[in-house]
Amino acid sequence: MPLSMIKSGEEATVKKVGGKEDTRRFLESLGFVIGAAVAVVTDIGGNMIVNIKDSRIAIGKDMANKIFIYTHER
């Protein structure tokens, strides 16, 4: 499922990064690589602030839709 589908406070692991080559390269440079843990800090209107690799990053809904994740079971 895309990263944009999870809510604030939820954690997930990056499964795949989609989009064009430039987009994938950009997202990977931010830390969105396969196997990376990501946690949503806030989600306002589809725009998100996420924790990834000890950094907080703001991304828009269009970018979040290109990051595919699987959620951690609680």
Side-chain angles (χ1 to χ4, degrees), residues 1-7 10-16 64-73:
M1 88 171 91
L3 179 61
S4 59
M5 298 294 291
I6 65 173
K7 305 290 184 225
E10 290 187 296
E11 296 181 356
T13 302
V14 176
K15 181 178 179 183
K16 176 185 167 191
N65 282 331
K66 292 174 175 46
I67 302 165
F68 294 91
I69 50 97
Y70 57 90
T71 57
H72 299 165
E73 295 296 324

Side-chain angles (χ1 to χ4, degrees), residues 13-29:
T13 302
V14 176
K15 181 178 179 183
K16 176 185 167 191
V17 178
K20 294 182 180 177
E21 181 64 29
D22 290 343
T23 303
R24 283 195 311 269
R25 203 171 313 139
F26 173 71
L27 290 170
E28 288 171 357
S29 74

Side-chain angles (χ1 to χ4, degrees), residues 12-73:
T13 302
V14 176
K15 181 178 179 183
K16 176 185 167 191
V17 178
K20 294 182 180 177
E21 181 64 29
D22 290 343
T23 303
R24 283 195 311 269
R25 203 171 313 139
F26 173 71
L27 290 170
E28 288 171 357
S29 74
L30 294 175
F32 294 98
V33 294
I34 295 171
V38 60
V40 176
V41 177
T42 59
D43 176 14
I44 301 170
N47 297 316
M48 308 176 114
I49 296 176
V50 299
N51 275 339
I52 188 159
K53 298 207 176 207
D54 298 325
S55 298
R56 281 192 178 188
I57 297 177
I59 59 172
K61 187 174 188 175
D62 58 331
M63 287 291 183
N65 282 331
K66 292 174 175 46
I67 302 165
F68 294 91
I69 50 97
Y70 57 90
T71 57
H72 299 165
E73 295 296 324

